[in-house]
Amino acid sequence: MPASPAFPLDAQQIERFVTDGAVRLDQAFPAELAAQARDILWRDMPGLDPQRPETWTRPVVRLGHYTQAPFVQAANTPALRAAFDQLIGPGRWRPCGAMGSFPVRFPSGEDAGDTGWHIDPGFHHGEADFMQWRSNVHCAGRPLLLLFLFSDVGEDDAPTRLRLGSHRDIARRLAPAGEAGLTLAELAAQGFALDEPRTEALATGPAGTVYLCHPLLVHRAQAHHGRTPRFLAQPTLPFAPGERVRLSGGAAFPLDRAVRDALRPGAAQNAQP
Ligand SMILES: O=C(O)CCC(=O)C(=O)O
């Protein structure tokens, strides 16, 4: 399938989403919207001045959920909506009404304390202890892990580290736990499948790039060794009511196919780093 406005991901990119669990969409939203959003975010960090690095005293500042126009427009461009249709399926997702959370990372020698490998859990977010939040093999509550670059991110600028193919390892660990799934604490106790051989990719790119990742992809933050603060958002795109990964039956979109492939007998032995 060729890339076009209606189908922004070509056939190779779609296969990469299925096997690697991550695909990069360039110019997913305008850089101008990213600049407008950064102005708002700077205003929400009192005492921190974009022109005065000496005011950047913490390695990370976490900002919440934003509903102003630049954020909602960035989340809902025609290219992104078409890519969601390609990966999840038309009618199976609901638009993002807010953008966040934003871990804003600053050049710093200090440990941010939040750079461990993990997946972003899909449900039970009401639990005060986030280690009790849960995920299941149906990816209930989260059809995609989305990384929106709101600033230019080079290799030194704390790009998120992605373990390619790890969504398949996590799917195999979640499958025996059925509907209830596992807590983040239980997945952490199993080491997030880090014993599997996997290669890594870095979520780099100019402002306006979006990484569309499988929701079970293992990823982590890292220290910032560059010069310019990194602005990244991880909005939650909801499933449409009643929707979740289809393990069998119905049309299998790339989101479903990635899990089905991982659970096929012999898939673990055939896993390639
Ligand atoms: O800051 C990053 O690069 C990723 C942060 C992250 O994965 C998280 O907050 O869940």
Side-chain angles (χ1 to χ4, degrees), residues 33-239:
L33 285 181
Q36 291 171 21
R38 285 197 305 275
D39 286 346
I40 296 171
L41 296 166
W42 276 113
R43 286 203 288 276
D44 280 357
M45 296 187 286
L48 278 70
D49 183 327
Q51 309 306 332
R52 294 174 50 227
E54 67 273 19
T55 63
W56 310 340
T57 52
R58 282 178 285 164
V60 63
V61 173
R62 285 191 177 260
L63 298 174
H65 295 261
Y66 285 81
T67 54
Q68 293 96 321
F71 299 98
V72 176
Q73 286 170 14
N76 290 285
T77 62
L80 278 168
R81 296 172 72 101
F84 299 155
D85 278 348
Q86 284 185 287
L87 297 178
I88 307 168
R92 296 183 70 201
W93 54 274
R94 288 284 177 266
C96 283
M99 182 65 75
S101 60
F102 277 90
V104 186
R105 296 197 183 271
F106 296 89
S108 174
E110 200 184 311
D111 179 7
D114 65 349
T115 57
W117 291 109
H118 65 282
I119 65 165
D120 287 5
F123 58 102
H124 264 216
H125 294 158
E127 291 282 344
D129 175 6
F130 70 88
M131 292 303 285
Q132 298 308 313
W133 297 358
R134 309 186 80 89
S135 302
N136 68 16
V137 71
H138 299 282
C139 305
R142 185 185 293 278
L144 290 176
L145 164 70
L146 293 169
L147 305 176
F148 279 65
L149 307 194
F150 275 86
S151 58
D152 296 344
V153 182
E155 291 196 356
D156 290 338
D157 305 323
T160 310
R161 293 170 61 180
L162 310 173
R163 267 178 71 79
L164 300 181
S166 58
H167 61 305
R168 299 156 77 95
D169 307 324
I170 296 296
R172 285 191 281 272
R173 279 160 176 71
L174 288 172
E179 199 66 43
L182 296 174
T183 64
L184 199 57
E186 288 165 334
L187 286 166
Q190 295 183 14
F192 289 109
L194 296 183
D195 49 339
E196 303 284 350
R198 294 291 176 196
T199 53
E200 268 187 41
L202 300 176
T204 55
T209 306
V210 173
Y211 283 79
L212 300 116
C213 306
H214 195 277
L216 303 181
L217 191 77
V218 178
H219 60 284
R220 62 174 278 193
Q222 62 173 318
H224 194 317
H225 303 292
R227 301 170 68 90
T228 317
R230 187 219 63 177
F231 291 81
L232 167 106
Q234 300 164 290
T236 302
L237 180 81
F239 264 123

